[in-house]
Amino acid sequence: MKFQAIKGVRDILPPESALWNRVEQAARSVFHTYGYGEIRLPIFEPTELFARSVGLDTDIVSKEMYTFEDRSFLAPEEIRDFTSFAEFVVRAERAFKAGEIPQTSNNASALGEMVRYRDELAEAFRGADPTRGGKDLGTFTNQLVQPYRLLGPVFALQMGPSLSLRPEATASVVRAYIEHGMQTRPGNVKLYYIGPMFRRERPQKGRYRQFCQIGAELLGPSDHPALDAEVIEMLLAFFARMNLNGAKLYINSIGDKNCRPAYVKLLRGELQKVRDKLGADSQRRIETNPLRVLDSKLPEEQAIIDTLPHIADHLCAACREHYAELKRQLALRKIEYEENWRLVRGLDYYMRTTFEITAPGLGSQNAVCGGGRYDGLVELLGGPAATKGIGFAIGTDRLLLSLQEAGAATKCGLEVYIAWMGVRAYPAAVALARKLREHNLSVELPAQQMKFGKSLNLADRLGARFAVILGDDELAAGEFTVKRLADADQRKLAEAELLEYLTKSRTA
Ligand code: HAM
């Protein structure tokens, strides 16, 4: 059998992984200058965390999460005979009491059935005479066991909490913020994260089932638009550091709980008037989440959507002022943007500021970053109501695609290849390799001797910048021959000069 990575997930191989590292390193260094510290979060969380924060009606929660029941410690697969069944019932009862398995009425009644059946079986086994029927008191027999009575409640039991691989990390950051009482820290809490997220989406270019995000979140008592603008400034500083050209920033305000409900009602009313002209998805969303109709990419819906009321005309005074100030703050920072009234974002926790950045070379999946303000989320998850939040997440896979389309180098970074020949040359080659590596140079030392021609050819194919040639002549002269492979420039140097020459011409 030949194994392959499953659909929608990928291996990142060298030399491409070097570019990933460069991107992540640049993010760390730029975010550091804005006072952000790294938070390392778990990959899975209670399903409920995402259901509450991202929202039950969103695509992410309703169809894209990888959800499983964490059941291993009860081990129902160990049920083979009466004794192991009885032990399972004891384990399950204990776990239920301790809250290790969900204390739901479903679980209580499944447990009740199991206990009843265990007691009946115990009774039946007691009455069975091993000298006549040869019934083994320890092992289930056909006469004694009714599989549906045994397996029914075992399968009905929810044996552990429902967990999900994280589809995004804002919910986890907020969970951690509350769990660790981070509101007591001075000033704003500024956190960034780098890591994989999981969504069961239809894979295509730039859309994967496991993808990486670089995200940042700012939590604190203030919702001043200067914070929104600074978060965006940091994001653009990072893109500039990566030389990402052609990125475009789109912004919008989607109001708050005071003004959005009235707008949603108005929108729903307008959409109902044109229901017949809309596709099935949008028709459903009229009821569940009319704002998401604005996200539609269906060509036949575009003309209709153009006629719908804009949220900007329905913001309350506070949201209008917040949005106007955001634009002033962006102008102050000389940040160019375009307003997009249809930018509502696909997660429920947003309010007021939303933004997205697109990058060239990505086809239809061209959003390389999305973010926004989520002032009610900390409270929704049980934290202090006064805490506000704003943040973003960059899709690293898409950023890499865009950088590569623009010709970003993914060179292997091998600096020196040591071509040695002769048994006497090998110890010198080993010592030289170690010395060069101590100076942080990337060195390839072939384990077996090769003819110089073959060795240099391999050096070339590996993409090495230099080949150091070490044979009997060099040993005799106490020198090394070094060849720059790009232009075949060749010189003979003593060890100290060689070190200086190589470290000076090191790649960045
Ligand atoms: P999001 O818009 O769902 O927002 O994702 C952010 C970015 O992750 C997208 O712009 C895209 O670049 C990337 N992305 C999303 N799904 C995929 C996928 N299937 N394959 C490849 N890349 C993908 C959030 O996740 C929010 N948590 C952002 C945020 C942070 N808002 C406030 N704070």
Side-chain angles (χ1 to χ4, degrees), residues 168 170 193 199 201 206-208 211 213 217 345 347 349-350 367-372 374 391-393 395 398:
E168 62 105 51
T170 308
Y193 49 85
R199 297 182 193 175
E201 293 196 83
R207 192 162 69 190
Y208 310 102
F211 57 97
Q213 283 187 347
E217 314 287 348
R345 313 266 302 122
L347 302 90
Y349 49 63
Y350 290 116
V368 77
C369 172
Y374 48 85
F392 63 80
R398 294 187 191 173

Side-chain angles (χ1 to χ4, degrees), residues 8 38 52 65 131 254 329 384 402 493 508:
E38 182 178 10
R52 280 232 210 139
M65 284 207 297
T131 56
I254 57 167
Q329 289 282 345
S402 185
L493 300 173

Side-chain angles (χ1 to χ4, degrees), residues 176-402:
Y177 175 87
I178 298 167
E179 186 172 332
H180 302 288
M182 292 174 88
Q183 73 275 8
T184 58
R185 297 189 175 199
N188 291 316
V189 172
K190 302 176 180 181
L191 302 166
Y192 76 86
Y193 49 85
I194 296 177
M197 310 291 156
F198 305 85
R199 297 182 193 175
R200 193 186 284 106
E201 293 196 83
R202 207 163 37 77
Q204 65 181 83
K205 181 182 174 192
R207 192 162 69 190
Y208 310 102
R209 291 183 166 182
Q210 175 178 335
F211 57 97
C212 184
Q213 283 187 347
I214 299 175
E217 314 287 348
L218 182 147
L219 295 125
S222 166
D223 62 357
H224 197 286
L227 297 172
D228 307 33
E230 198 187 66
V231 161
I232 292 173
E233 179 193 305
M234 175 171 90
L235 182 54
L236 295 174
F238 162 65
F239 284 152
R241 177 81 64 96
M242 285 318 303
N243 296 319
L244 178 76
N245 295 318
K248 277 188 89 164
L249 166 69
Y250 296 91
I251 62 166
N252 191 22
S253 172
I254 57 167
D256 64 6
K257 58 179 186 287
N258 297 319
C259 52
R260 194 169 35 198
Y263 172 70
V264 169
K265 197 169 159 205
L266 175 75
L267 192 61
R268 184 175 280 134
E270 291 302 310
L271 286 168
Q272 267 151 359
K273 290 184 202 159
V274 292
R275 169 183 284 273
D276 296 344
K277 297 187 193 134
L278 298 172
D281 275 348
S282 292
Q283 287 197 5
R284 195 167 23 84
R285 288 182 174 141
I286 297 178
E287 261 61 62
T288 58
N289 194 347
L291 279 179
R292 293 296 313 282
V293 175
L294 305 183
D295 261 355
S296 160
K297 304 233 160 41
L298 279 186
E300 56 274 25
E301 290 182 347
Q302 302 309 307
I304 304 167
I305 293 172
D306 283 344
T307 66
L308 295 169
H310 290 202
I311 190 157
D313 302 326
H314 300 271
L315 294 176
C316 59
C319 286
R320 209 174 323 124
E321 176 47 31
H322 191 275
Y323 190 37
E325 180 62 21
L326 168 66
K327 290 187 267 184
R328 282 194 289 273
Q329 289 282 345
L330 289 174
L332 173 77
R333 290 169 171 76
K334 303 193 171 34
I335 293 174
E336 285 177 25
Y337 60 85
E338 201 171 296
E339 289 177 76
N340 177 2
W341 71 278
R342 289 173 56 175
L343 184 61
V344 290
R345 313 266 302 122
L347 302 90
D348 279 1
Y349 49 63
Y350 290 116
M351 51 106 56
R352 291 192 172 162
T353 310
T354 56
F355 57 92
E356 229 164 63
I357 295 183
T358 61
L362 291 174
S364 64
Q365 303 302 316
N366 65 349
V368 77
C369 172
R373 180 161 279 291
Y374 48 85
D375 291 346
L377 185 57
V378 174
E379 185 181 10
L380 182 74
L381 296 181
T387 304
K388 316 283 200 294
I390 178 152
F392 63 80
I394 298 158
T396 322
D397 303 75
R398 294 187 191 173
L399 173 59
L400 264 285
L401 273 175
S402 185

